[in-house]
Amino acid sequence: MRALKCVVGLAMAGTIAACGGGGGGGSDGDSNAPTTAAGLWKGLTSNGRQVSVLTFQDGSAWALYSQPGGGFGGVAASVSGAVQGSLNGAATDFWISHHLISPGTLSATVTPRQSISGTLSTPGQSFTFDAAYDPAFEQSPNMAAMAGVFTGNFTVRPGGAGSTLAVSSTGAINGTTIDGCAYTGTGTPRTDGNALDVSITFGGGTCALGTSTVTGVAYYDSAARTLLLATLNSARDNGFLFVGDKD
């Protein structure tokens, strides 16, 4: 699928991004122009993977990275540590392709609105990355443009499969996985960047996460018509990731 050709893993620092070219689906202008380490950054890792990093003014960050040969590799999330000119915090790395969830650190040096250079370090893997700033971050989320049904793949430990996910113009989320797990939630536009805060609750039954609630972020690339969503549970030992193309 188109989304999986460009999306990379997510080093859960608290953010999510896409690797398509510059499309954010928001309004023009720079009302969210960052003056701190906040931003959307796209580049490469030292081991040849694509990486997209989202950092926010509240200190959270999410890093998505691909597998070496392409496709969805993983995500690393850090809920604190981004400050003026730098990022340095504890992180949870969901190395999807290897079915590993590991604690670690995510650190980086940021030149606001220009570039980010950093390191993800965990017991399972370590790599450095360099990425350039994407001004699509400065747009405001356009819920009307995002609204629709997305078909793609979800990942939750211990595995994943296909899912459809619908988003309304008011941010209501409804989804069903291929094995019959139903989930609902909400997406709320952030005020500090082109992304949504997301909360999803599962309906039990076949759902691997039972009836629990997970929270995280989502990003819609309007040019690629791709939705990226990454969430963690409260214990930060499992989560729900979704990558899908708009029908």
Side-chain angles (χ1 to χ4, degrees):
M1 83 189 293
R2 181 173 69 247
L4 293 182
K5 292 179 181 177
C6 72
V7 174
V8 293
L10 181 64
M12 286 185 157
T15 180
I16 189 168
C19 62
S27 59
D28 294 334
D30 60 356
S31 60
N32 293 316
T35 57
T36 64
L40 166 59
W41 322 85
K42 300 174 183 177
L44 294 172
T45 70
S46 55
N47 52 5
R49 306 175 185 182
Q50 291 177 305
V51 65
S52 296
V53 183
L54 266 175
T55 55
F56 295 101
Q57 294 181 17
D58 62 4
S60 62
W62 302 76
L64 301 92
Y65 54 89
S66 68
Q67 297 184 54
F72 194 23
V75 56
S78 173
V79 296
S80 64
V83 296
Q84 182 77 37
S86 67
L87 169 67
N88 189 5
T92 301
D93 179 34
F94 284 67
W95 193 5
I96 302 303
S97 57
H98 285 62
H99 308 290
L100 292 176
I101 301 176
S102 304
T105 58
L106 184 65
S107 59
T109 299
V110 178
T111 301
R113 303 183 75 182
Q114 293 187 39
S115 63
I116 186 171
S117 297
T119 301
L120 172 67
S121 180
T122 76
Q125 65 170 341
S126 296
F127 57 75
T128 61
F129 59 89
D130 293 284
Y133 180 71
D134 187 337
F137 181 79
E138 297 169 23
Q139 299 172 357
S140 296
N142 187 330
M143 299 303 295
M146 182 187 302
V149 178
F150 297 82
T151 301
N153 288 314
F154 79 93
T155 300
V156 63
R157 195 175 65 169
S163 180
T164 58
L165 184 154
V167 182
S168 76
S169 60
T170 61
I173 296 173
N174 290 276
T176 305
T177 68
I178 197 171
D179 59 356
C181 170
Y183 53 91
T184 59
T186 57
T188 305
R190 294 184 66 106
T191 60
D192 59 350
N194 190 11
L196 306 180
D197 284 325
V198 172
S199 175
I200 290 178
T201 300
F202 296 92
T206 60
C207 298
L209 289 172
T211 58
S212 63
T213 297
V214 292
T215 58
V217 295
Y219 174 81
Y220 177 59
D221 185 329
S222 61
R225 292 170 59 87
T226 298
L227 177 69
L228 306 175
L229 182 151
T231 61
L232 289 171
N233 63 3
S234 58
R236 297 178 62 81
D237 61 3
N238 208 341
F240 178 76
L241 314 176
F242 176 84
V243 182
D245 294 333
K246 199 171 187 180
D247 292 351

